Amino acid sequence: MKPGSIRKGISSTTKDTQLNVHHLLEHAAQAHKDQEVVTYRPNSVHRYTYEDMHDRAKQAANALEDMGVQAGDLVGIGTHSTHEAIELLYATASIGASPHFLNPESEQHSHYLVNHITKHAPMDYVFLHNDMADRPGELLPNPDEYSYVTYGEEERVVVHTGEYLGDYEDLLEDAEDEYEWPRIDEDTAVVMTSSGGTTGTPKAIAQSHRA
């Protein structure tokens, strides 16, 4: 047998399950539903449970589909490490789309990656933390081409370019509470990230659900 070839033995009789990230959140919500998830923010501490996170992720999934996000789309997220970002990560990936976290530290790298990645998949929607909402041009080339949602504990900021769809909390409030997670091909990109660019131009990296 050639080196690197895949060997096939007796076929399994167990159920063939696609490895999807929503299984992680579902398990946490069932087995550890009262466990607190704590986010330290500049002006406060946010606390809720895994069950709360799962419920809000389902609302976010409904909101994304109501906006028109479909499997195969990219969703831009300009963010800090917040509970909203985690909800969006799970919700976006679990409907078959792929979140792309924008780099607020480097305008040059952020613009390059967006231009590179959007050659392969559409990115029409961008979620921006309120402290980034007044400067989308630092994260995105051609910022007037996108539809925006803002979020965060800070005072709400309206994006004055492209189409402003409103605040994340308002979208969740209007969304249905129940959502049945679809089965996603486990080779689908669960998130689009990038290399650090320390040795040159940053490279886009697509991590799969299975990985």
Side-chain angles (χ1 to χ4, degrees):
M1 182 172 288
K2 295 181 180 179
S5 60
I6 298 175
R7 299 184 181 188
K8 173 67 175 176
I10 299 173
S11 297
S12 169
T13 60
T14 56
K15 184 179 180 180
D16 179 20
T17 300
Q18 293 293 310
L19 300 180
N20 295 161
V21 295
H22 69 78
H23 295 146
L24 301 175
L25 188 54
E26 284 180 309
H27 174 76
Q30 293 169 5
H32 309 286
K33 65 178 184 178
D34 296 324
Q35 177 66 47
E36 276 197 333
V37 181
V38 181
T39 304
Y40 289 90
R41 305 186 290 193
N43 301 314
S44 65
V45 177
H46 179 271
R47 298 175 183 271
Y48 68 170
T49 65
Y50 278 122
E51 185 174 41
D52 297 330
M53 180 187 287
H54 186 227
D55 289 342
R56 283 172 58 88
K58 289 190 291 185
Q59 288 179 293
N62 280 316
L64 286 163
E65 291 191 342
D66 290 343
M67 289 164 55
V69 179
Q70 303 178 36
D73 288 350
L74 286 168
V75 176
I77 304 176
T79 183
H80 305 293
S81 296
T82 66
H83 68 282
E84 297 100 336
I86 297 300
E87 294 160 10
L88 286 167
L89 169 64
Y90 277 109
T92 304
S94 296
I95 67 172
S98 302
H100 170 51
F101 289 99
L102 304 169
N103 182 2
E105 303 302 324
S106 172
E107 179 177 336
Q108 178 183 356
H109 288 179
S110 183
H111 282 204
Y112 169 80
L113 283 169
V114 170
N115 279 328
H116 174 66
I117 292 172
T118 53
K119 291 178 181 178
H120 305 283
M123 187 173 79
D124 297 319
Y125 301 96
V126 177
F127 288 77
L128 288 179
H129 193 276
N130 280 322
D131 68 3
M132 304 177 193
D134 61 348
R135 48 191 175 95
E138 293 182 15
L139 298 170
L140 299 159
N142 307 313
D144 57 329
E145 296 181 356
Y146 301 94
S147 297
Y148 297 93
V149 175
T150 53
Y151 68 92
E153 66 170 333
E154 292 80 2
E155 182 178 351
R156 296 183 179 185
V157 179
V158 175
V159 180
H160 293 291
T161 188
E163 180 185 13
Y164 180 59
L165 300 178
D167 182 79
Y168 177 65
E169 295 299 330
D170 292 339
L171 295 182
L172 291 195
E173 187 174 337
D174 293 339
E176 294 291 332
D177 295 331
E178 293 303 317
Y179 187 85
E180 184 175 347
W181 300 113
R183 294 182 68 198
I184 307 297
D185 186 310
E186 61 187 18
D187 289 327
T188 298
V190 70
V191 65
M192 300 292 290
T193 59
S194 69
S195 62
T198 54
T199 58
T201 304
K203 307 298 189 296
I205 303 169
Q207 299 283 359
S208 71
H209 279 254
R210 182 176 181 83

